[in-house]
Amino acid sequence: MNIASDDKIAAILPRYTDNGDGTVIIDARGQEVFYPVGYKPIIRQLAGRHCKDICLLRDWAKVKVGRRLWLPLGFSWELVLTPIKVRDVRVKGDGTLGYVNLTHIKRVKEIENIASVELNNGMIIPVLWQLETLRHHLKDAILLHFNIVHVIDKTIWKRLYKNVEMLQLYKKSE
């Protein structure tokens, strides 16, 4: 499967079609690509692309957010997938779960008593949860994103400090 880069993935949603169940990836511009598989193989491929084990990623999320189900998945600072319930099951075994990339969420709101996620590209995704539940899951994803960015920031400062040390060492040797 050829999946868009992290910064281009806006949402990963289950979709019923005439040919059966599958998954749609919505990109940053709002274009959709259909994959004739469930979301799990796509999530596994994203984890593999980052050299991350999906079970360890979920264990890390459990510790950070303090919950066991409906966990956000933090692959990178550009791809933190927030779980959302987007459909009811038609056939036993079909998934109800979709994911929205935190970095592409413009806002969450209620439209005619239906909680919805509005993406930066203008698309609106209805969610089968109450608005408060949606906000709670969004808060968890924000927490993971903060942790990822914090580690990156610490690394950058360490590298900058090390570069300054090396520069000072070079100047002393002249």
Side-chain angles (χ1 to χ4, degrees):
M1 282 184 284
N2 187 17
I3 298 175
S5 63
D6 290 358
D7 62 323
K8 304 269 189 299
I9 297 172
I12 301 171
L13 304 173
R15 177 80 45 91
Y16 288 119
T17 68
D18 293 339
N19 296 326
D21 195 22
T23 303
V24 168
I25 294 183
I26 301 170
D27 72 14
R29 296 176 307 195
Q31 295 178 329
E32 298 182 2
V33 176
F34 179 78
Y35 298 89
V37 296
Y39 75 90
K40 289 180 182 179
I42 292 171
I43 297 298
R44 276 195 301 272
Q45 184 168 343
L46 290 172
R49 161 165 110 185
H50 287 279
C51 299
K52 294 186 178 184
D53 179 84
I54 194 70
C55 293
L56 293 175
L57 196 62
R58 284 194 170 108
D59 287 346
W60 177 73
K62 284 177 194 175
V63 170
K64 295 297 180 187
V65 303
R67 94 172 40 238
R68 295 177 54 105
L69 300 173
W70 300 91
L71 292 166
L73 299 172
F75 293 101
S76 70
W77 71 274
E78 294 177 312
L79 185 63
V80 178
L81 296 177
T82 309
I84 55 173
K85 184 175 180 181
V86 292
R87 70 178 185 184
D88 288 321
V89 175
R90 282 192 201 166
V91 179
K92 186 178 177 181
D94 287 348
T96 61
L97 178 70
Y99 287 98
V100 179
N101 188 352
L102 175 69
T103 63
H104 287 273
I105 297 175
K106 183 175 184 177
R107 69 175 144 243
V108 294
K109 58 185 180 179
E110 206 167 62
I111 302 172
E112 298 176 14
N113 293 326
I114 297 173
S116 301
V117 174
E118 183 179 353
L119 301 176
N120 292 333
N121 62 24
M123 290 185 77
I124 295 176
I125 302 169
V127 179
L128 300 180
W129 283 334
Q130 298 294 318
L131 187 59
E132 277 309 305
T133 303
L134 178 58
R135 284 187 176 137
H136 189 74
H137 287 280
L138 189 60
K139 175 191 69 74
D140 290 346
I142 290 168
L143 183 60
L144 282 190
H145 188 262
F146 171 80
N147 276 276
I148 292 167
V149 171
H150 179 70
V151 168
I152 292 169
D153 288 348
K154 276 178 49 178
T155 303
I156 289 170
W157 281 111
K158 282 181 182 177
R159 288 183 64 199
L160 286 172
Y161 181 75
K162 190 67 176 169
N163 287 346
V164 168
E165 283 181 333
M166 288 189 297
L167 186 60
Q168 289 172 345
L169 182 64
Y170 173 75
K171 285 183 178 182
K172 286 179 183 177
S173 67
E174 289 184 322

